[in-house]
Amino acid sequence: MLFFAFCFISCATIFEDSPLTLLKEAYNHKKTKKAMVFMNGGNATTDNSLHVVLENADFELTDAKLGNVFIVDSNHNAVKLDSSAINLTWLSEKTLEISFLSKLRTFKKANEMDGVKIVYKEL
């Protein structure tokens, strides 16, 4: 019975979400908004993924957050997921450019968020 309890507990943890890892953040010029790139670690059934979130400048990233603007993964390891895979550039107070490696597999790609226009550039 103890063996089965140990196996159940061990297997249950492989399906839990991993903590988020902040890779970079960029504020607009007036520091009223910020964009952040973070990695959401995978588990036994999902791959690691990169997320971009756009929020007010005082926003703090929590483990429960998902990207509200842009979500990608490695496309079956076609590209390495790290801080160089996505870049953030504020073109103006209300325009954010997200440049990203073209081999990434895209799951979410918003064109606007909270009055901020988002433009994309594939590298």
Side-chain angles (χ1 to χ4, degrees):
M1 182 103 140
L2 185 59
F3 174 74
F4 289 114
F6 175 75
C7 289
F8 177 75
I9 291 169
S10 297
C11 291
T13 59
I14 65 173
F15 295 105
E16 291 179 5
D17 290 331
S18 299
L20 307 179
T21 303
L22 181 64
L23 299 177
K24 61 177 69 174
E25 60 186 7
Y27 291 86
N28 64 358
H29 303 295
K30 291 184 182 178
K31 296 197 184 239
T32 57
K33 296 279 187 186
K34 75 174 167 182
M36 296 178 282
V37 177
F38 63 91
M39 183 178 295
N40 190 351
N43 58 32
T45 60
T46 60
D47 193 7
N48 292 344
S49 56
L50 296 178
H51 296 244
V52 175
V53 64
L54 177 63
E55 294 287 346
N56 291 326
D58 60 350
F59 175 79
E60 295 294 327
L61 189 63
T62 65
D63 287 344
K65 190 68 178 174
L66 292 177
N68 62 1
V69 173
F70 191 58
I71 302 174
V72 295
D73 76 2
S74 70
N75 196 11
H76 306 288
N77 295 317
V79 65
K80 185 177 178 184
L81 292 182
D82 61 17
S83 62
S84 65
I86 297 176
N87 290 310
L88 306 171
T89 306
W90 285 93
L91 303 176
S92 71
E93 290 302 308
K94 298 280 186 176
T95 305
L96 173 67
E97 179 184 83
I98 299 174
S99 53
F100 63 98
L101 298 176
S102 61
K103 290 185 179 182
L104 292 169
R105 181 170 54 167
T106 305
F107 293 97
K108 183 172 191 172
K109 193 175 180 182
N111 294 317
E112 188 271 335
M113 179 64 59
D114 294 330
V116 174
K117 180 182 176 183
I118 301 151
V119 295
Y120 296 91
K121 181 178 175 182
E122 289 189 35
L123 304 172

